[in-house]
Structures are given as structure tokens and as C-alpha cells.
Amino acid sequence: MKKVVLALAVIATVACFSSCNKKCTCKTYVAGSVQKTEEVVLDKDQYKKCADMNATVGEGQLKTGYECE
């Protein structure tokens, strides 16, 4: 779990420092519930669309990770 959170923090940090102006709405899920919602700037050098930043495990009540749209 710590590795997932660390990876998400790194992704969010990289996205924040990019010069691109497209913003994604990203949600952090823990055990199916949204813990945090934030707007992240899309880094077009790494990702073509917001959904490329998704890193979730499980579905429904068990979903854990980071999901952007």
C-alpha cells in the first residue's frame, strides 16, 4: 500500500510541474471510498490522456488507487 501511495505522489508531483495546461480531475480511492479529489495538470510528455495516469486495483467496494478523468 505504501508503494502505491508513493507512486501516486510521484505521478502527481510530475504532473504539477509540467508546462501543459490540460487539467485532469483525479480521485484517490481506499477500500472503495474516495479519500481525496484533486485537479492535476496532464504531462503530455508522459501521458496522452488523463486515463493513462490511472493506477487502481480492484473494483467497487474494493477499489484502491488513483483514477483520473
Side-chain angles (χ1 to χ4, degrees):
M1 184 64 191
K2 289 180 183 179
K3 291 180 182 179
V4 172
V5 172
L6 178 61
L8 298 175
V10 169
I11 291 170
T13 302
V14 169
C16 289
F17 287 108
S18 69
S19 62
C20 177
N21 48 358
K22 174 160 176 146
K23 293 185 179 180
C24 304
T25 302
C26 300
K27 297 177 182 175
T28 303
Y29 289 90
V30 176
S33 64
V34 177
Q35 298 296 310
K36 184 177 179 182
T37 301
E38 62 186 336
E39 282 195 4
V40 177
V41 176
L42 180 66
D43 181 6
K44 291 216 176 193
D45 293 333
Q46 281 190 302
Y47 306 105
K48 293 186 180 192
K49 56 187 176 183
C50 294
D52 293 341
M53 293 192 292
N54 291 353
T56 57
V57 178
E59 292 183 16
Q61 293 182 339
L62 300 176
K63 185 189 312 188
T64 299
Y66 195 70
E67 190 172 80
C68 299
E69 48 184 47

